[in-house]
Amino acid sequence: MTTPEQEDRKPVRVFLVDDHALFRAGVRAELAAHGEDVEVVGEAGSVGEAVAGIEHHRPDVVLLDVHMPDGGGAEVLRRVRPANPAVVFLALSVSDAAEDVIAVIRGGARGYVTKTISSQELAKSVRRVAEGDAVFSPRLAGFVLDAFSERPGAAPIADPELDLLTPREREVLRLLARGYAYKEIASELFISVKTVETHVSSVLRKTQLSNRYELSRWATDRRLV
């Protein structure tokens, strides 16, 4: 049974940002089931489209992908948030890496959920951030608390070596460190095996390491795995 307050409140206007069109279509369809509470007003598949679309639609909440080929969620936040302080950003990503969580929170996102979330929980999370709450899964909330504390062993806020890697190189490195074969990484990220090889070579050069085993240890030390 709905309360009078629930009956009076307007749907939260949502803008989707993700470089995979099929994923956007899936999220739009799932959120449509909660149409009385959430309304998708627009979507974008790149940073440039996101900047233009958010400024045009002025949504209540942006569901923001973290990794995109032309810059990612942190770049969207950097370009949009200063001129649109009323827009709330909720990261929605396949990544559960501490450095990804910290990067978008430092950029101004109000929360971070992974793509394993149910549609019902996603709709609830959208409503909660629109109303001023911060929303994280328990594991991800721990990353944020660590990052902004002085506890020994806390996740690093900044890492000059890690900053050398592009978002896509970090994704490839993370999967490599988890034991994925090149073919599996290519399938997971919708890129070719040749492109995976190119990214791995670039990561090896930038980190001055010599093989995937050293890379795995390097990634583990930085909580990328």
Side-chain angles (χ1 to χ4, degrees), residues 95-100 162 165 170 173-175 177-178 215 218-225:
S95 171
D96 60 0
E99 52 102 8
D100 289 334
L162 194 59
L165 306 185
R170 295 184 191 190
L173 173 59
R174 182 177 304 112
L175 295 176
R178 289 176 177 175
L215 280 179
W218 190 87
T220 301
D221 290 343
R222 286 159 178 78
R223 303 185 179 189
L224 290 178
V225 180

Side-chain angles (χ1 to χ4, degrees), residues 198-209:
T198 299
H199 285 312
V200 172
S201 296
S202 179
V203 173
L204 286 169
R205 176 175 51 78
K206 290 180 178 179
T207 57
Q208 299 185 343
L209 300 174

Side-chain angles (χ1 to χ4, degrees), residues 135-210:
V135 178
F136 302 92
S137 70
R139 169 181 164 81
L140 304 187
F143 292 157
V144 177
L145 291 173
D146 282 352
F148 291 95
S149 74
E150 296 180 353
R151 185 175 64 80
I157 293 177
D159 185 324
E161 288 185 296
L162 194 59
D163 289 344
L164 293 174
L165 306 185
T166 67
R168 181 61 92 186
E169 288 170 348
R170 295 184 191 190
E171 287 182 308
V172 170
L173 173 59
R174 182 177 304 112
L175 295 176
L176 191 72
R178 289 176 177 175
Y180 283 53
Y182 283 13
K183 185 177 180 180
E184 293 171 323
I185 296 173
S187 176
E188 184 76 15
L189 299 180
F190 302 102
I191 57 180
S192 70
V193 173
K194 182 66 175 177
T195 300
V196 173
E197 293 173 349
T198 299
H199 285 312
V200 172
S201 296
S202 179
V203 173
L204 286 169
R205 176 175 51 78
K206 290 180 178 179
T207 57
Q208 299 185 343
L209 300 174
S210 58

